């Protein structure tokens, strides 16, 4: 089971995350710098699916994927795509609003993935809604 912990800290936050360490998984490539659009990010890589379970970009935005049960596993394709590709696709986001917009553009692809929870944390969160 994947776990994430987020602690507020002066000037930002601290994130701790672990990967579901099934003995069937191949060893991950260690965190390395990569690019998504014009933004650099740091993330380990799953060598089988090509995705990641945690990424932090140069703007301080962190994305964390947690496994979840799929609502209708019988509707999944025989070999679902890696959930980790979602974090890679969103790693260039500049804000939480960009993450929301990115998820909307990925909507059609999400049906081909096993269930997951996406945790996105930014050093400058959205202002609270008015009203």
């Amino acid at each position: 089971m994947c776990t994430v912990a987020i602690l507020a800290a002066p000037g930002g936050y601290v994130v701790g995350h672990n990967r579901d360490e099934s003995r069937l998984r191949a060893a991950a490539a260690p965190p390395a710098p990569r690019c998504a659009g014009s933004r650099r990010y740091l993330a380990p890589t799953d060598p089988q699916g090509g995705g990641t379970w945690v990424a932090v970009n140069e703007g301080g935005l962190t994305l964390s994927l947690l496994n979840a049960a799929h609502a209708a596993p019988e509707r999944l394709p025989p070999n679902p795509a890696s959930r980790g590709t979602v974090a890679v696709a969103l790693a260039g986001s500049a804000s939480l609003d960009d993450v929301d917009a990115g998820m909307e553009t990925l909507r059609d692809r999400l049906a081909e993935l096993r269930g997951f929870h996406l945790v996105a944390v930014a050093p400058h969160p959205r202002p609270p809604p008015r009203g």
Side-chain angles (χ1 to χ4, degrees), residues 90 98-108 110:
L90 299 174
D98 283 355
V99 171
D100 284 347
M103 285 297 289
E104 194 60 38
T105 64
L106 295 173
R107 183 172 297 279
D108 292 340
L110 298 179

Side-chain angles (χ1 to χ4, degrees), residues 26-121:
R34 307 191 191 298
C35 285
S38 63
R39 195 169 289 273
R40 293 179 301 163
Y41 70 98
L42 184 65
T45 301
D46 173 18
Q48 293 172 318
T52 190
W53 54 99
V54 63
V56 61
N57 72 25
E58 63 190 351
L61 180 79
T62 300
L63 299 167
S64 176
L65 283 176
L66 303 171
N67 297 342
H70 196 279
E74 68 281 358
R75 296 179 65 189
L76 283 169
N79 295 308
S82 171
R83 298 175 270 219
T85 59
V86 171
V88 170
L90 299 174
S93 298
S95 66
L96 297 176
D97 288 333
D98 283 355
V99 171
D100 284 347
M103 285 297 289
E104 194 60 38
T105 64
L106 295 173
R107 183 172 297 279
D108 292 340
R109 285 184 38 204
L110 298 179
E112 299 174 8
L113 306 176
R114 295 185 193 282
F116 66 92
H117 299 284
L118 175 66
V119 178
V121 184

